[in-house]
Amino acid sequence: MNNSSKAFIKYIGRKLLFLVITYIISITIVFILPRVIPGNPLSQILSGLSRTGQSNPDAIRAAEKALMEQYGIGKPWYVQYFEFLGNAFKGDLGTSFTYYPRKATELIAPVIPWTLMLLLPATVVAWFLGNTLGAFAAYKRNSWFDKGVLTTSLIISQIPYYWLGMLLVFFFAVKLNWLPAQGAYSQGLIPSFTWDFIADAAKHYILPFLSIVISATGGWAVGTRLLVINELGSDYVRFAEYVGMKEKTIFNYVYRNSLLPQITGLALSLGGALGGSLITEIVFNYPGTGYLLFKALTTLDYPLIQGTFVILIASIYLTNFFVDFIYALIDPRIRLGQEA
């Protein structure tokens, strides 16, 4: 085994150790946060028992005691913590308070595909649009195209997302009545691979998809424009111009070099997609993980809050580790720099 391979293994080992430590710290914060919110987390279950006719105070108290034992809420905090930590590594995210007796995983699993189908394509499309517009704007610096892209991108990136979403709903759903205002599909339909359901879901998909693409494109365009402008001032660009290299060839090199930081940003955005886009899913009443998390927060559903965050944190960290792994494979200076 040569020195480069040893350096690569050490680099990956350090990254893995850092991944485990930061994951434990993160889910520790996830364990603490719901417990500092005032209120009785079992109130939803007890209210449900009262509504179903079990209003006898003794029966309610007995039920509360049984539930506290089941969830371990009466146990010392450190016992709860280590049980939570062990279960998190085993994939057991607990039983929901609000949807008792359903497991948190049973509630999270069905909404993940809706979130991924919305966020992944929207993020990728916004990334390509933003980077392409930003690169051409930088290349045509101070032209009408550059000024138009820069001004529009700055305005779009500063517009509050919920306002943009509501504008789309107002014009396309309320005034023009072209598209549905909320939901992932019409009430009464059952999700299936039929043409009627796919066409209906596609109509519900357009507005939330457009809202994400429009709001994200501006940020990517502004970032890429700055990166390309910096790259155009590099020594290798001046040398290429001096020796008479074609303008198109120089631009291709500049564009590829400028994309490296943006690829990292894209990977992190895709890694965080599993957590859903909270405001998008609230504005459009879209049944994704963000909307589920919002309902869990409003009802103090500890297991559902913790479960959603545990999955989100794991996806972000694994994506980050994957990006580091790819970078180390592509660029030996990264792993050798760690070694030094």
Side-chain angles (χ1 to χ4, degrees):
M1 185 180 293
N2 56 37
N3 291 334
S4 179
S5 299
K6 288 179 182 176
F8 181 72
I9 292 172
K10 285 185 178 179
Y11 172 78
I12 294 300
R14 286 195 192 97
K15 289 293 177 183
L16 272 175
L17 181 63
F18 180 75
L19 175 74
V20 173
I21 292 172
T22 50
Y23 183 68
I24 291 173
I25 293 172
S26 300
I27 62 176
T28 300
I29 295 171
V30 170
F31 171 81
I32 294 171
L33 282 181
R35 286 165 174 77
V36 299
I37 301 173
N40 182 0
L42 297 176
S43 59
Q44 290 294 324
I45 302 176
L46 298 174
S47 298
L49 291 176
S50 299
R51 285 196 297 272
T52 54
Q54 299 181 34
S55 55
N56 186 317
D58 293 334
I60 296 294
R61 278 194 290 273
E64 183 177 10
K65 185 180 177 183
L67 288 170
M68 287 186 70
E69 289 178 0
Q70 179 183 345
Y71 285 103
I73 293 176
K75 294 179 182 177
W77 66 266
Y78 55 86
V79 176
Q80 292 183 49
Y81 171 70
F82 285 111
E83 285 182 353
F84 166 72
L85 204 61
N87 290 334
F89 276 96
K90 290 188 293 186
D92 181 2
L93 304 178
T95 305
S96 167
F97 291 160
T98 313
Y99 303 95
Y100 182 84
R102 297 182 67 187
K103 292 282 188 182
T105 47
E106 294 176 16
L107 297 163
I108 296 170
V111 301
I112 285 178
W114 290 108
T115 290
L116 293 182
M117 282 191 295
L118 175 63
L119 285 182
L120 293 185
T123 303
V124 172
V125 169
W127 187 85
F128 274 108
L129 275 178
N131 283 300
T132 305
L133 288 173
F136 277 107
Y139 194 62
K140 302 290 183 184
R141 195 175 180 187
N142 295 325
S143 66
W144 64 267
F145 180 78
D146 175 35
K147 292 173 183 173
V149 168
L150 180 61
T151 305
T152 308
S153 299
L154 286 173
I155 292 172
I156 290 175
S157 61
Q158 296 304 313
I159 293 177
Y161 175 78
Y162 61 88
W163 192 68
L164 176 66
M166 287 191 289
L167 275 181
L168 292 174
V169 169
F170 177 74
F171 281 111
F172 292 101
V174 178
K175 295 293 286 185
L176 300 174
N177 199 24
W178 287 354
L179 297 166
Q182 59 178 358
Y185 51 88
S186 299
Q187 288 187 353
L189 286 182
I190 298 173
S192 59
F193 289 103
T194 61
W195 171 247
D196 287 342
F197 179 79
I198 293 172
D200 184 75
K203 286 174 65 179
H204 286 78
Y205 183 82
I206 294 173
L207 284 184
F209 175 82
L210 277 181
S211 69
I212 295 172
V213 170
I214 293 172
S215 64
T217 298
W220 289 117
V222 172
T224 305
R225 181 180 176 276
L226 288 174
L227 290 169
V228 172
I229 288 173
N230 286 333
E231 200 70 21
L232 286 171
S234 301
D235 291 339
Y236 78 88
V237 174
R238 293 198 189 94
F239 180 75
E241 290 172 342
Y242 179 76
V243 298
M245 187 177 286
K246 289 182 179 177
E247 202 173 341
K248 185 179 177 183
T249 306
I250 297 173
F251 179 70
N252 286 336
Y253 280 117
V254 168
Y255 184 51
R256 277 188 290 180
N257 289 339
S258 304
L259 278 185
L260 279 175
Q262 300 294 71
I263 290 172
T264 306
L266 174 66
L268 294 176
S269 297
L270 294 178
L274 209 56
S277 178
L278 184 63
I279 300 177
T280 304
E281 293 174 4
I282 291 173
V283 169
F284 293 98
N285 199 22
Y286 207 80
T289 48
Y291 190 63
L292 183 68
L293 177 62
F294 170 72
K295 290 197 289 186
L297 287 168
T298 55
T299 54
L300 291 180
D301 194 334
Y302 289 177
L304 205 48
I305 295 170
Q306 292 167 347
T308 308
F309 273 115
V310 164
I311 292 173
L312 172 61
I313 291 167
S315 66
I316 292 174
Y317 284 173
L318 285 175
T319 305
N320 205 7
F321 175 76
F322 181 71
V323 171
D324 287 337
F325 181 79
I326 297 297
Y327 270 0
L329 279 180
I330 295 173
D331 189 352
R333 292 173 300 178
I334 293 177
R335 55 177 185 265
L336 293 176
Q338 293 291 318
E339 187 67 8

